[in-house]
Amino acid sequence: MDSKLVLITGVTGHIGFRVLQYALEYGFAVRAVVRSQAKADTVRSNSALRAVHQNNQLEIVLVPDFTVPHAFDAVVQGVDYIIHCASPIPFAAPTSDDPENDFIRPAVNATLGIFQSAARAPSVKPIVITSSCIAVAPVAAALVDTGNTYTADTRQPEMDGQWPPGTQSFVTYAAGKVAALNRTEAWMRDKIPHFDAIHVMPAYVLGHVGMADDLQGRQQSPSRLVLNVVRGREKGNEDPPGLAMVVSHVDDCARIHLEALGPNIDGNQSFIICYDCGARPEWDEAKAIVEQNFPTAVNAGTLPCKGSLESVVCRLDSSKTEKTFGFRHTYKDAVVSLVEQYLDLHKKQQGKRKD
């Protein structure tokens, strides 16, 4: 890569933090956008980041509200690339009483706002947006096998905006992703700006959560699905009886976001990130992986491997992504990575209780 300046949003999130790490490792100068000084302090104090950047390589800027008009006008000036990872996270809140303000408006207005600001910044070249496979597959495909195959070029109609109180946040998260994808593509066709846009569409992203410093932090990501299986946790009321087995490793997600900026990647296209969808993997394969790689934790009862999550077939076609970028990880790699971190955090928590 090179030392050009890349602006990254969502750097305190699962994918965004790993994108930030990779960008610094690749030698980019980074302008990271956060919403508060507290988040800025959290990023700067992270030991993993201090090991991979010089002080003048990382600039952190505050944009308190991503959704207001012209919020990004100043911060995009002089930027060569933009990676927009910021997004409301449904795992942090099972239901929403105000879906429009919690998920849909932030997803649409923040993304369009970045595009509108970038149009006023001649230096900006590609923009990479973290979308989701739920932007191209219907919500039903997360829960049942629809029999249809969805590619990165599939498009879904925007959802009805009549949301009753207590709506499942996953549904409105999906609605926000669909709306953001459809409206930004329409904006690109209408305005024909000087930059291209690439949408990256991960499935459930597993692996080490860079900003998690306690076990609670591990629960705010899809990794909890696997942890519930290997810890033997009983299903809660918010848990579905089965869920689409569509996963990716956070390292592949981050790498593809950055490699999509390369001059050999054509703009204005989309890429699904999902492993082995045609092979119909199972969530419960995590138990055998853990038993093989962490026998001490299994024998001690820390990871009894007695939970279960039924795997629903979801037919995502990620062949274009694999051909363009390749995948370097598997479901096994993702499980090992997230369990290693879980055990480390569990040990630290147990040590604190003894103090």
Side-chain angles (χ1 to χ4, degrees):
M1 290 296 178
D2 51 45
S3 60
K4 291 185 176 180
L5 178 61
V6 56
L7 182 144
I8 307 174
T9 70
V11 295
T12 59
H14 190 196
I15 297 174
F17 183 79
R18 195 68 181 106
V19 170
L20 172 59
Q21 285 182 293
Y22 267 33
L24 295 170
E25 291 172 5
Y26 284 12
F28 283 100
V30 176
R31 183 175 293 165
V33 180
V34 296
R35 292 184 175 91
S36 68
Q37 187 59 50
K39 289 183 179 291
D41 294 341
T42 299
V43 173
R44 284 210 176 275
S45 64
N46 187 279
S47 59
L49 287 186
R50 290 199 301 269
V52 297
H53 78 89
Q54 304 296 323
N55 289 334
N56 60 356
Q57 191 184 351
L58 174 61
E59 174 190 8
I60 301 179
V61 297
L62 269 60
V63 176
D65 188 348
F66 287 10
T67 65
V68 300
H70 307 292
F72 292 93
D73 281 3
V75 299
V76 301
Q77 295 302 314
V79 165
D80 296 291
Y81 310 115
I82 297 174
I83 301 179
H84 177 46
C85 298
S87 179
I89 303 299
F91 282 88
T95 62
S96 172
D97 291 326
D98 191 357
E100 189 69 30
N101 282 322
D102 290 346
F103 290 96
I104 300 169
R105 188 173 67 90
V108 172
N109 290 1
T111 307
L112 282 178
I114 286 177
F115 278 48
Q116 291 160 354
S117 294
R120 304 182 185 98
S123 62
V124 173
K125 300 179 186 68
I127 299 180
V128 173
I129 306 99
T130 307
S131 182
S132 170
C133 63
I134 203 64
V136 297
V139 171
L143 303 174
V144 296
D145 181 2
T146 66
N148 297 319
T149 298
Y150 307 100
T151 75
D153 297 320
T154 305
R155 293 295 177 266
Q156 297 295 329
E158 294 189 24
M159 300 181 194
D160 186 347
Q162 302 301 312
W163 309 106
T167 299
Q168 286 291 316
S169 63
F170 178 75
V171 175
T172 47
Y173 166 81
K177 288 297 188 184
V178 170
L181 174 63
N182 291 353
R183 296 187 204 180
T184 52
E185 288 189 329
W187 186 93
M188 290 290 292
R189 290 191 297 268
D190 180 50
K191 303 299 182 182
I192 314 178
H194 61 273
F195 55 82
D196 293 330
I198 294 176
H199 289 84
V200 178
M201 301 169 169
Y204 293 115
V205 181
L206 307 178
H208 187 281
V209 179
M211 293 299 290
D213 55 6
D214 56 31
L215 293 179
Q216 182 62 30
R218 289 312 319 251
Q219 293 301 319
Q220 305 304 323
S221 80
S223 295
R224 77 171 176 85
L225 299 168
V226 172
L227 290 174
N228 288 347
V229 169
V230 300
R231 290 186 306 172
R233 175 183 175 277
E234 294 294 328
K235 289 186 175 68
N237 292 332
E238 74 280 7
D239 294 325
L243 199 63
M245 175 50 177
V246 286
V247 301
S248 54
H249 193 295
V250 66
D251 286 1
D252 276 335
C253 291
R255 176 180 59 83
I256 289 170
H257 275 74
L258 286 159
E259 292 182 4
L261 300 173
N264 59 322
I265 304 299
D266 292 336
N268 300 324
Q269 59 177 326
S270 304
F271 296 96
I272 287 176
I273 305 179
C274 178
Y275 298 154
D276 302 325
C277 293
R280 301 190 180 186
E282 300 283 336
W283 288 107
D284 285 4
E285 291 174 17
K287 292 186 283 190
I289 294 169
V290 168
E291 288 168 350
Q292 179 181 5
N293 290 274
F294 305 97
T296 301
V298 174
N299 293 334
T302 307
L303 298 173
C305 291
K306 296 188 182 298
S308 184
L309 178 61
E310 181 182 347
S311 299
V312 172
V313 174
C314 182
R315 306 168 195 272
L316 298 179
D317 182 354
S318 59
S319 57
K320 181 174 73 169
T321 309
E322 186 163 9
K323 181 179 179 180
T324 305
F325 301 102
F327 293 137
R328 299 178 184 173
H329 298 88
T330 63
Y331 181 49
K332 175 181 177 181
D333 295 327
V335 170
V336 169
S337 175
L338 72 91
V339 169
E340 283 177 341
Q341 184 183 27
Y342 173 81
L343 291 175
D344 182 57
L345 294 174
H346 182 271
K347 182 177 179 180
K348 290 179 180 177
Q349 179 173 292
Q350 294 300 104
K352 288 180 180 179
R353 288 176 178 173
K354 294 177 181 179
D355 291 343

